[in-house]
């Protein structure tokens, strides 16, 4: 793998100078060694109780070792029965790390972090005779994951397969899912360390079990973390975690609250998507924070042309335009970023382990599910343009062509604001939606993020409500071709997906964030029309 040496280099001279002063403060305060000792006082009195039960991730390179044998034994048993297709039902911290691990090692893992009926149906259409479902949820009550479990359990039973023998659980001790796994006799219940938060759980059972069952070398991952662990707890100006934390903290203090992440040949598949949750959910609260902007590569809009409000970070060798470069193998990068973001939280004066604004969108979605009339949508669209229904919020009149609507909406962004594109669609069949990010970024002159809904709700959703209040939000929803019932629940996946979009949009609007929802009555046609409208905008 490229970049085996773990390092953080600060390429920008002014940022290096500002960061150096913070590094000296962190070294003088023994912050790194205190973090290694799991000192919960590092983030102040208000955060101490939460931090006291959230710091076991610092030693996972040691404490997760027993999992290696357990995972390999189960994988061997499954293979002996002809079961070699791994489907993971999990959201946020339960899915992001396994996806990066398996992608980096080029082993197959089907990830369900969606409520899109089409995407779930595609996973169901795989060979169930060869399939095991890993149900992964820290709380044990995640609605998306519970829905996937119910759908697959019925599919197994309908196919004449003993569902319990094909379901593996990863959860916290004492959770409702742990109790269910035991009472239903599921194939295996892995209990993770409860003193690790979801976004810091890459090296726990949440990251290792699905990846290991898929064939990834999880022992090597832990070895990579172990190699760098001592350097991350050293009170030294060479400590890469201190360097990265100080650079991010200094940049934020200078007005660069956005962190633009581009892979520059790291050999890691999609680290930015994992780091996105870690950074956004850890720092985006109380009206401040670091907004991660994951771009396609270092030539993409928003990286080399980043403004004063953004810090371009190369994941891999330093590239033209990067102000920071981070190198190292995947296991080391997991631990490095976790340490750096936790320390950056101290510099920003926030608790990096809570997520006070995540529950609001969940509550709004639940309320809509409980009110079928509201969910069915009595509100008429502001306009219908071809295959696109326009639902305009404050500041947008929806007059004219689709390009005019977009132009007016983009005009609601404040100076140094950002645009968040949120696609509640099929991540596989509607993959072309992701092309909107660079096209909009190029024309809007704003740092632009892209998230698949509801996946991003477990990631950047915290920042959208709790971070710097300068975002505008473009929601894209679409009528599914076919819906899926959720067994023993009064809603379908399509209704759940709709409730999540409308619920989050309402929470954002109530917080004064501009929201524009474009509903595609025909997904393929609507996406084509939307892309044409974007390309008509002045670049």
């Amino acid at each position: 793998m490229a970049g085996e040496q773990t390092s953080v280099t600060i390429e920008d001279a002014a940022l290096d100078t500002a960061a150096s002063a913070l590094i000296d403060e962190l070294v003088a305060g023994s912050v790194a060694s205190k973090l290694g000792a799991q000192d919960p006082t590092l983030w102040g009195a208000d955060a101490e109780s939460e931090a006291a039960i959230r710091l076991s991730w610092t030693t996972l390179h040691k404490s997760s070792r027993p999992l290696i044998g357990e995972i390999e034994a189960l994988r061997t048993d499954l293979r002996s029965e002809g079961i070699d297709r791994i489907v993971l039902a999990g959201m946020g911290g339960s899915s992001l790390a396994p996806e990066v691990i398996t992608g980096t090692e080029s082993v197959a893992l089907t990830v369900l972090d969606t409520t899109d009926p089409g995407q779930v149906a595609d996973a169901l259409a795989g060979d169930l005779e060869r399939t095991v479902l890993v149900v992964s949820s820290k709380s044990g009550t995640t609605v998306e994951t519970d829905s996937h479990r119910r759908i697959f359990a019925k599919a197994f039973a309908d196919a004449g397969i003993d569902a319990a023998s094909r379901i593996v659980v990863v959860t916290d001790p004492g959770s409702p899912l742990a109790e269910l796994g035991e009472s239903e006799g599921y194939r295996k219940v892995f209990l993770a360390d409860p003193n690790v938060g979801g976004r810091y759980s890459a090296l726990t059972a949440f990251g290792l079990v699905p990846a290991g069952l898929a064939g990834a070398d999880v022992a090597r991952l832990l070895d990579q973390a172990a190699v760098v662990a001592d350097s991350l707890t050293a009170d030294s100006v060479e400590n890469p975690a201190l360097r990265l934390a100080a650079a991010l903290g200094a940049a934020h203090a200078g007005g660069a609250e956005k962190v633009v992440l581009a892979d520059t040949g790291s050999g890691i598949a999609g680290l930015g998507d994992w780091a996105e949750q870690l950074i956004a959910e850890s720092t985006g609260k109380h009206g401040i924070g670091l907004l991660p902007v994951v771009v396609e590569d270092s030539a993409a809009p928003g990286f080399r042309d980043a403004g004063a409000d953004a810090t371009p970070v190369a994941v891999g060798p330093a590239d033209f335009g990067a102000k920071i470069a981070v190198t190292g193998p995947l296991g080391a990068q997991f631990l490095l970023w976790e340490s750096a973001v936790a320390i950056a939280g101290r510099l920003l004066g926030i608790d990096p382990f809570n997520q006070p604004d995540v529950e609001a969108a969940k509550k709004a979605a639940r309320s809509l599910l409980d009110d079928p009339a509201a969910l069915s949508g009595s509100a008429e669209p502001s306009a219908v343009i071809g295959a696109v229904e326009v639902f305009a919020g404050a500041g947008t009149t929806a007059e004219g062509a689709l390009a005019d609507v977009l132009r007016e909406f983009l005009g609601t962004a404040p100076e140094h604001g950002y645009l968040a594109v949120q696609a509640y669609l099929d991540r596989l069949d509607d993959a072309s939606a992701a092309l909107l990010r660079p096209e909009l970024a190029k024309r809007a002159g704003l740092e632009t993020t892209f998230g698949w809904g509801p996946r991003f709700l477990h990631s950047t959703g915290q920042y959208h409500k709790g971070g710097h209040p300068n975002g505008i939000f473009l929601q894209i929803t679409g009528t599914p071709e076919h819906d899926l019932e959720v067994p023993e629940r009064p809603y379908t996946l399509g209704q759940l997906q709709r409730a999540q979009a409308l619920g989050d949009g309402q929470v954002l609007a109530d917080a004064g964030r501009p929201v524009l929802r474009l509903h595609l009555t025909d997904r393929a046609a609507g996406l084509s029309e939307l892309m044409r409208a974007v390309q008509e905008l002045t670049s």
Side-chain angles (χ1 to χ4, degrees), residues 200-539:
Y200 291 82
S201 66
L203 298 177
T204 69
F206 288 105
L208 302 184
V209 168
L213 291 179
D217 188 343
V218 296
R220 179 171 59 192
L221 202 68
L222 294 175
D223 290 343
Q224 292 167 347
V227 167
V228 76
D230 286 347
S231 71
L232 301 181
T233 57
D235 295 313
S236 163
V237 295
E238 301 301 320
N239 181 330
L242 296 185
R243 293 181 61 78
L244 180 54
L248 296 175
H252 184 275
E257 80 270 14
K258 305 174 185 74
V259 181
V260 189
L261 299 164
D263 192 279
T264 58
S266 69
I268 299 171
L271 184 73
D273 292 331
W274 169 81
E276 182 180 60
Q277 181 197 26
L278 176 70
I279 298 168
E281 212 168 62
S282 296
T283 70
K285 53 204 76 171
H286 308 309
I288 60 172
L290 296 163
L291 174 69
V293 181
V294 182
V295 301
E296 297 73 24
D297 54 50
S298 60
F303 192 81
R304 294 177 183 175
D305 59 346
D309 60 334
T311 305
V313 178
V315 179
D319 187 272
F320 174 73
K323 292 188 175 181
I324 306 170
V326 185
T327 65
L330 180 53
Q333 292 246 27
F334 279 149
L335 194 54
L336 166 58
W337 279 95
E338 288 166 352
S339 301
V341 169
I343 295 168
R346 174 185 168 91
L347 294 175
L348 269 61
I350 53 89
D351 175 358
F353 304 113
N354 69 354
Q355 47 279 334
D357 301 294
V358 166
E359 189 62 29
K362 294 180 182 179
K363 287 179 63 177
R366 285 195 294 267
S367 295
L368 286 167
L369 286 174
D370 291 338
D371 185 354
L375 182 58
S376 63
S378 56
E380 292 294 320
S382 309
V384 179
I385 306 171
V388 180
E389 293 179 344
V390 179
F391 293 84
T396 307
T397 61
E399 295 177 352
L402 191 54
D404 297 320
V405 174
L406 289 172
R407 189 176 295 109
E408 185 180 27
F409 171 66
L410 294 174
T412 65
E415 185 179 11
H416 301 310
Y418 68 92
L419 167 64
V421 183
Q422 304 171 337
Y424 289 84
L425 301 170
D426 186 323
R427 188 152 63 109
L428 303 179
D429 288 352
D430 302 322
S432 63
L435 299 175
L436 290 167
R437 193 217 73 81
E439 293 295 328
L440 280 164
K442 182 166 56 177
R443 290 165 173 79
L446 297 168
E447 289 294 349
T448 302
T449 67
F450 181 90
W452 294 103
R455 168 186 168 116
F456 76 84
L457 292 176
H458 298 258
S459 182
T460 49
Q462 165 63 39
Y463 185 98
H464 294 160
K465 272 80 78 175
H468 289 271
N470 57 2
I472 63 172
F473 301 87
L474 175 62
Q475 287 191 334
I476 306 170
T477 56
T479 302
E481 188 174 349
H482 302 288
D483 209 344
L484 273 179
E485 298 288 334
V486 180
E488 301 177 354
R489 285 292 180 264
Y491 49 80
T492 65
L493 277 187
Q495 289 170 328
L496 175 56
Q497 184 183 45
R498 180 180 177 86
Q500 289 173 317
L502 296 182
D504 191 51
Q506 187 59 56
V507 171
L508 290 167
D510 289 347
R513 309 313 200 241
V515 179
L516 171 66
R517 182 166 71 91
L518 302 179
H519 182 76
L520 314 179
T521 54
D522 178 306
R523 293 190 181 192
L527 282 173
S528 295
E529 292 172 19
L530 180 53
M531 181 60 77
R532 282 197 296 272
V534 170
Q535 292 171 341
E536 291 172 15
L537 298 173
T538 303
S539 58

Side-chain angles (χ1 to χ4, degrees), residues 44-85:
D46 291 344
E48 187 171 343
S49 60
E50 181 77 18
I53 56 170
R54 288 291 178 261
L55 290 170
S56 288
W57 56 268
T58 59
T59 55
L60 288 171
H61 53 286
K62 299 176 183 177
S63 59
S64 286
R65 293 279 170 184
L67 281 171
I68 298 170
E70 291 184 59
I71 294 168
E72 185 54 36
L74 178 57
R75 182 169 185 266
T76 299
D77 286 348
L78 291 170
R79 292 288 175 126
S80 72
E81 299 172 21
I83 304 170
D84 59 0
R85 177 175 180 257

Side-chain angles (χ1 to χ4, degrees), residues 82-87 123 126-133 152 156 161 166:
I83 304 170
D84 59 0
R85 177 175 180 257
I86 313 299
V87 177
D127 189 350
L128 289 179
E129 293 289 342
R130 297 173 36 241
T131 299
V132 63
L133 178 72
F152 266 79
F156 283 133
I161 298 169
R166 298 299 187 88

